[in-house]
Amino acid sequence: MKRPESPLRTAATFAAVAVCAATAACSSSSDDAGTTESSDTYTWWDPYPQHDDTSEWAQRVAACGDEAGVTIERTAYDTTALTNQALLSAQEGTAPDIILLDNPAVSTLADTGMLTTMDEFGLDTTAMDENLLAAGVVDGEAYGVPIGANTLAIYYNQDILADAGVDPAAITDWASLTAALESVTAAGHKGITFAGIGTEEGSFQFLPWFWGAGADLRQLDSPEAVEALELWTGWLDEEYAPNSVITNSQNTVWEEFLTGTFAFAENGTWQVNSAAEADFPTGVIALPARDGGVAPTPTGGEFITAPVQNDTGRYEVTTQIVECMTTPEGLVETATTFAYYIPPTQEGQEALVADQAELEPWVDAVRNAKGRTSDDLGTDYPLISEALWTAVQNALSGAMSADEALQQAQADADAATS
């Protein structure tokens, strides 16, 4: 997932479904795309319309159907349309056998009762990294398994750091990162760029600093949260970061970094290939926690889920298809197909690093990552996230102090989730 999108509140999502159904503008699939009448055909939905039937991804999906002795009928939607279409299919009784969902949407669909738990489904999840599986856990039950994860780290321009005498290996906490920013700007370069935009992308990029300070999403106005937001506002005050971060998307951040004028950029696994092709040498360091170590970063990526079927006998073959997609070899293939998803199992991660050692920093980041809906936030997460990104906007723009902005955010989150 290159751009994390927040799941919609159930009622709002059903409203969106109604609009889609009325306008027929949200999907190009036929009305019976989710039917499962044939025992030889299994239906599969995913959020990858960029991968057509001739792509390596589509061929992988089809091959897992062949291995299970069935034909897979694959339909692709964009991320938001997929969630809407899934909810509509639940109402109509036409849910597909398998849906790949952006991980924050799992709790939204689970909340409707349309997904089986992995225990009910009969899939063993013990090999999955607990921190990655947690994004699909609701009330102690796993409603899906990750096919991989992407997350955030800090890319750096090696030429700029060398010119400023900065050793990237010495950046291990907030103090050393801020010192590095002081050095590169003193040497005449730009410091760091990130996405503080007023959308889910803004929350996604702020969460490593928020969690890295020890803050909790149930208490947005804690001293730790204030300290994290003051880190960002302090960088703007010192001109270590540009004012453009207030409206930057993650794509804009990357465009700024590729100009070669910034020392650092916060961005994701999906930029690995682009970084390798940049006009200057690049490197990657983990996002540091306030007092040292690696900060928890939010996980992006999709989960395989199994909607409830009237014919429970279908689950046996569906399990075979899912198991085929989540072997160590299959997870590595997914990782490289999507450049790059980090496998959610230790065996898969080790296989990936053995093949591509330069991805080890990303494996470390994913091992320390955290699901946005973890801690049983479930469908409360998008409401809390909106309050958080609004606070970031208010503080970065100077409309409020960090403390005031987060106090308002907590009040808004309490009102929205009560």
Side-chain angles (χ1 to χ4, degrees):
M1 181 186 67
K2 291 186 179 180
R3 296 183 60 187
E5 298 186 33
S6 63
L8 304 175
R9 192 71 166 171
T10 302
T13 305
F14 274 112
V17 170
V19 172
C20 289
T23 63
C26 297
S27 170
S28 60
S29 66
S30 63
D31 290 340
D32 62 353
T35 59
T36 55
E37 295 176 358
S38 170
S39 61
D40 296 327
T41 300
Y42 278 65
T43 45
W44 169 294
W45 293 356
D46 66 42
Y48 310 132
Q50 71 273 30
H51 296 284
D52 64 21
D53 290 344
T54 65
S55 66
E56 291 182 7
W57 170 251
Q59 291 171 22
R60 282 198 59 220
V61 172
C64 283
D66 292 342
E67 187 174 311
V70 298
T71 298
I72 292 181
E73 181 182 291
R74 174 180 172 259
T75 305
Y77 304 89
D78 68 49
T79 299
T80 300
L82 176 60
T83 304
N84 292 341
Q85 194 68 25
L87 289 163
L88 181 61
S89 74
Q91 288 181 306
E92 296 179 340
T94 59
D97 293 286
I98 297 171
I99 306 178
L100 265 66
L101 290 169
D102 189 13
N103 70 75
V106 175
S107 59
T108 300
L109 266 62
D111 191 53
T112 70
M114 73 169 290
L115 299 180
T116 65
T117 68
M118 293 298 95
D119 282 344
E120 292 167 339
F121 181 53
L123 189 72
D124 183 6
T125 62
T126 55
M128 298 287 170
D129 285 0
E130 188 174 347
N131 67 315
L132 302 181
L133 185 66
V137 172
V138 179
D139 294 332
E141 294 282 358
Y143 284 88
V145 293
I147 61 167
N150 53 33
T151 195
L152 297 166
I154 295 178
Y155 289 89
Y156 62 85
N157 182 319
Q158 293 183 24
D159 288 343
I160 290 178
L161 266 59
D163 181 62
V166 173
D167 178 6
I171 299 172
T172 57
D173 55 17
W174 291 3
S176 55
L177 176 57
T178 300
L181 292 173
E182 182 179 5
S183 295
V184 297
T185 54
H189 305 286
K190 295 179 182 178
I192 188 168
T193 182
F194 52 84
I197 191 171
T199 69
E200 176 61 19
E201 289 192 42
S203 290
F204 191 75
Q205 288 235 325
F206 183 61
L207 281 172
W209 313 99
F210 182 88
W211 284 332
D216 188 296
L217 284 168
R218 291 289 187 189
Q219 189 180 356
L220 296 179
D221 58 351
S222 68
E224 293 82 4
V226 172
E227 190 171 357
L229 190 47
E230 285 179 341
L231 178 72
W232 272 18
T233 58
W235 287 348
L236 263 68
D237 291 343
E238 295 295 333
E239 298 185 352
Y240 297 158
N243 287 329
S244 62
V245 299
I246 299 171
T247 56
N248 272 358
S249 69
Q250 293 186 115
N251 286 338
T252 308
V253 167
W254 195 246
E255 290 168 3
E256 288 182 337
F257 182 65
L258 289 180
T259 64
T261 59
F262 281 89
F264 302 99
E266 180 180 350
N267 224 287
T269 327
W270 52 89
Q271 301 293 8
V272 166
N273 286 345
S274 179
E277 296 168 359
D279 293 334
F280 49 89
T282 64
V284 176
I285 57 173
L287 281 152
R290 178 188 60 194
D291 300 322
V294 178
T297 54
T299 56
E302 280 69 47
F303 271 55
I304 297 181
T305 65
V308 172
Q309 303 293 330
N310 290 330
D311 179 6
T312 58
R314 298 182 68 83
Y315 296 155
E316 182 177 352
V317 170
T318 305
T319 302
Q320 293 176 41
I321 295 169
V322 175
E323 287 176 339
C324 172
M325 295 295 295
T326 55
T327 63
E329 298 78 14
L331 291 171
V332 169
E333 201 167 340
T334 296
T336 55
T337 297
F338 293 119
Y340 284 90
Y341 274 8
I342 303 303
T345 66
Q346 182 176 343
E347 189 175 0
Q349 292 162 6
E350 289 172 351
L352 180 65
V353 171
D355 185 54
Q356 299 182 73
E358 69 275 13
L359 295 178
E360 188 166 3
W362 292 107
V363 170
D364 291 341
V366 163
R367 285 174 175 168
N368 286 278
K370 183 175 180 177
R372 284 167 277 169
T373 58
S374 297
D375 301 327
D376 278 333
L377 292 178
T379 54
D380 283 349
Y381 171 75
L383 306 173
I384 294 170
S385 177
E386 182 173 0
L388 182 61
W389 82 56
T390 301
V392 170
Q393 285 278 293
N394 285 334
L396 292 181
S397 67
M400 294 182 179
S401 69
D403 188 30
E404 291 169 339
L406 288 167
Q407 286 184 37
Q408 182 63 55
Q410 185 59 46
D412 291 344
D414 285 342
T417 59
S418 59

